[in-house]
């Protein structure tokens, strides 16, 4: 086995001594999802940010507010992903959408690109 020092001494020893254990740090899947959600939101924002200030004004939110409730929610983001940037969306699957909503509500939203 490549990861055991008795089978591959130099590499195996490194894995035993240095390589982080499964609970060290953050798993890669959530990091990747956040990365792609950040860029998906940037793509949506660049299409509706008519005054190019990097933020959504009330008039610009209107373009994304598909259910007319005056705020962005899961349904609005699902529609924007589907219609604005051509992503396939599936009813009931909100993990990616929730990441986008978290980015929107963060203090440093992405700038329109």
């Amino acid at each position: 086995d490549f990861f055991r020092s008795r089978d591959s001494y130099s590499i195996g020893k490194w894995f035993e001594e240095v390589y982080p254990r499964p609970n060290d740090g953050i798993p890669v899947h959530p990091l990747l999802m956040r990365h792609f959600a950040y860029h998906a939101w940037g793509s949506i924002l660049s299409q509706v940010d008519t005054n190019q200030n990097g933020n959504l004004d009330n008039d610009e939110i209107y373009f994304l507010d598909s259910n007319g409730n005056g705020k962005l929610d899961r349904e609005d983001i699902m529609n924007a992903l589907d219609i604005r940037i051509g992503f396939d969306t599936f009813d009931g699957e909100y993990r990616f959408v929730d990441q986008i909503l978290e980015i929107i509500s963060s203090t440093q939203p992405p700038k329109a690109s």
Side-chain angles (χ1 to χ4, degrees), residues 5 24 31 36-37 40 48 58 69 76 80 83 89 101 103-105:
S5 61
D24 292 345
L31 291 175
F36 290 120
V48 297
N58 288 335
N69 66 358
D76 300 327
I83 295 167
T89 59
L101 287 170
I103 289 166
I104 292 170
S105 66

Side-chain angles (χ1 to χ4, degrees), residues 5-42:
S5 61
R6 67 185 163 133
D7 295 335
S8 176
Y9 181 73
S10 60
I11 303 270
K13 188 152 181 64
W14 182 83
F15 274 102
E16 288 176 359
E17 293 176 0
V18 179
Y19 191 73
R21 303 299 178 243
N23 292 329
D24 292 345
I26 300 172
V28 70
H29 292 103
L31 291 175
L32 285 172
M33 183 166 313
R34 182 149 180 98
H35 170 78
F36 290 120
Y38 184 86
H39 287 285
W41 172 242

Side-chain angles (χ1 to χ4, degrees), residues 74 78 90-95:
R74 285 177 166 176
M78 291 279 277
F90 302 95
D91 289 336
E93 179 52 58
Y94 298 114
R95 286 179 284 194

Side-chain angles (χ1 to χ4, degrees), residues 39-41 43-44 47 79-87 96:
H39 287 285
W41 172 242
S43 295
I44 293 168
Q47 291 184 22
N79 287 333
L81 287 169
D82 184 28
I83 295 167
R84 298 273 177 192
I85 58 176
F87 281 17
F96 190 69

Side-chain angles (χ1 to χ4, degrees), residues 37-76:
Y38 184 86
H39 287 285
W41 172 242
S43 295
I44 293 168
L45 182 60
S46 69
Q47 291 184 22
V48 297
D49 186 22
T50 55
N51 60 7
Q52 300 298 312
N53 68 352
N55 297 309
L56 287 180
D57 303 324
N58 288 335
D59 294 336
E60 296 163 342
I61 289 176
Y62 174 78
F63 291 115
L64 294 176
D65 188 15
S66 60
N67 57 13
N69 66 358
K71 61 181 182 176
L72 295 179
D73 54 26
R74 285 177 166 176
E75 182 181 332
D76 300 327

